[in-house]
Amino acid sequence: MTRWRNRPEGSTWGDFGPEDVLGRLNLLGPDQVRKGIAEVRDGLVFCLSLPLDLPGGTALNANRFPPVVRPTLRAGAVNFNCDMAVAHSGATDVMSDDLVVLHTQYSTQWDAFGHAGALFDADGDGAPERVYYNGWRAGVDVVGPDGAHGAGIGSLGRLDGAEDGLASTSHAGPVDISHMARHGVQGRAVLVDLEAHFGADRIAVGYEDLARVLAADDVVVEPGDLLVLHTGFARHVLAQQGTPTPEALRVCAVLDGSDPALHDWIRDSGVVAIAADNYAVEAFPPTTELRDAPALPLHELCLFRLGVHLGELWWLSDLANHLRAQRRSRFLLTAPPLRLPGATGSPLTPIATV
């Protein structure tokens, strides 16, 4: 390996090759697709996405904003309910085109590996570097503007280079979301219904809690599976009708990202990705003072060490109700992100087939 001499303890760095960009998605192959298809019995399809303008506002994350949808232009005219005649004399067509300003992780999403790196001594020289999964380097492989210049909401009006595809100011390269999209995300998924056991109480679920739920519901998670966690959180998001408050959304189960036993289980389970209907999957923000520790330890484990993608704010309640009524937990999941080069996350519309 030329990018690193040390790898994080318990990580998968190098296990799938020195240039790997897929992480545990390498385990999601034809066998897992066939296993997922074998779970299709009823022919029913469930949409697992929230409307992408939810949760609404910035109560969950002050740095992420709802999407903005606007018309494009045609021959200088507003291209919405637009007579094609403005561009082609005598035409009778009426056309509408639009554009969207989209924060990729505002609503139902996948996190790319480039979403969360760490300060880690990959060179073995006693000085930590900013690195991402498999040792990909900040500033070398993952590039963006310095400081506030060329970034943020204020930059959206500056579109020099847009016609040539050169207006972007950041690119996550080998740890961007497009690699996940190119590989495809389809296979057997396993739903764990945390809400059925913990209700709407805000509770941090560690390994022992999770193990009790798996045993009670006879849920088996195997290597190559996609793990899906239903907490009921997204239903509370819908109930807020686009105007949530932080207090109203401090509900439902979250994983205890600080639990070492939970880390061990995730590492040993062989799951290829984890998605939940809540914000961040794990408890956030931290409630204790941090001392040389990550604010999002489960993100560090999954995205940085193991190469396990995380999904957030999925809509799972309809699917969970159906599976519980049928005494099932497995289904076929089809969940590709947008093939958007450079992005550190992506909205998606996952589909469950049962």
Side-chain angles (χ1 to χ4, degrees):
M1 300 294 293
T2 58
R3 285 189 310 280
W4 51 268
R5 297 186 179 212
N6 290 336
R7 75 175 190 172
E9 183 179 356
S11 77
T12 62
W13 290 21
D15 288 357
F16 302 109
E19 304 301 312
D20 181 55
V21 295
L22 295 176
R24 286 257 187 97
L25 281 179
N26 284 285
L27 304 180
L28 191 63
D31 287 345
Q32 289 305 117
V33 175
R34 285 190 287 266
K35 289 178 181 178
I37 291 172
E39 298 297 332
V40 178
R41 307 173 192 175
D42 305 324
L44 299 178
V45 172
F46 292 86
C47 171
L48 304 184
S49 175
L50 286 168
L52 293 183
D53 58 355
L54 294 180
T58 58
L60 278 181
N61 189 319
N63 305 305
R64 298 174 182 170
F65 294 85
V68 178
V69 181
R70 292 176 177 166
T72 62
L73 298 178
R74 185 183 296 274
V78 175
N79 194 18
F80 214 83
N81 300 323
C82 177
D83 295 332
M84 183 67 92
V86 302
H88 301 279
S89 179
T92 60
D93 320 61
V94 177
M95 305 299 294
S96 295
D97 277 5
D98 47 32
L99 60 87
V100 60
V101 179
L102 185 68
H103 287 233
T104 56
Q105 292 160 283
Y106 180 75
S107 186
T108 303
Q109 65 183 267
W110 277 124
D111 290 341
F113 301 149
H115 174 53
L119 289 170
F120 176 72
D121 181 16
D123 292 339
D125 59 3
E129 294 80 38
R130 290 184 296 166
V131 290
Y132 295 88
Y133 167 75
N134 213 21
W136 298 105
R137 298 298 179 104
V140 178
D141 307 297
V142 182
V143 296
D146 293 329
H149 300 291
I153 290 292
S155 71
L156 297 180
R158 299 194 298 272
L159 294 177
D160 295 343
E163 292 183 359
D164 301 318
L166 301 175
S168 298
T169 59
S170 60
H171 202 294
V175 285
D176 78 13
I177 201 67
S178 71
H179 307 291
M180 187 188 203
R182 176 177 53 82
H183 178 274
V185 185
Q186 187 175 55
R188 186 176 68 189
V190 180
L191 185 137
V192 179
D193 194 351
L194 298 178
E195 185 192 37
H197 295 266
F198 302 114
D201 292 339
R202 176 79 170 186
I203 179 174
V205 175
Y207 168 71
E208 291 187 1
D209 300 313
L210 178 63
R212 283 194 292 269
V213 171
L214 296 178
D217 289 350
D218 195 24
V219 175
V220 177
V221 179
E222 298 178 352
D225 284 342
L226 297 143
L227 178 63
V228 178
L229 306 173
H230 173 240
T231 72
F233 182 87
R235 195 168 57 253
H236 290 267
V237 168
L238 284 179
Q240 296 297 303
Q241 299 181 326
T243 58
T245 64
E247 295 75 20
L249 295 181
R250 285 198 60 79
V251 292
C252 301
V254 291
L255 292 185
D256 181 0
S258 66
D259 180 12
L262 181 61
H263 285 215
D264 291 344
W265 182 84
I266 291 172
R267 184 186 63 246
D268 298 341
S269 69
V271 296
V272 299
I274 302 173
D277 60 351
N278 60 15
Y279 172 64
V281 183
E282 62 181 312
F284 183 78
T287 56
T288 59
E289 182 181 355
L290 299 177
R291 296 183 180 179
D292 295 323
L296 289 157
L298 198 70
H299 278 61
E300 186 194 62
L301 172 73
C302 292
L303 299 176
F304 172 67
R305 293 174 182 263
L306 297 180
V308 170
H309 289 280
L310 295 177
E312 302 175 25
L313 291 170
W314 290 27
W315 172 250
L316 299 173
S317 290
D318 293 337
L319 172 65
N321 290 340
H322 176 82
L323 291 177
R324 181 157 290 275
Q326 300 293 317
R327 301 180 66 84
R328 297 173 56 186
S329 60
R330 291 175 168 178
F331 59 98
L332 172 66
L333 176 63
T334 306
L338 299 178
R339 192 171 182 178
L340 182 59
T344 60
S346 173
L348 74 154
T349 303
I351 295 295
T353 311
V354 299

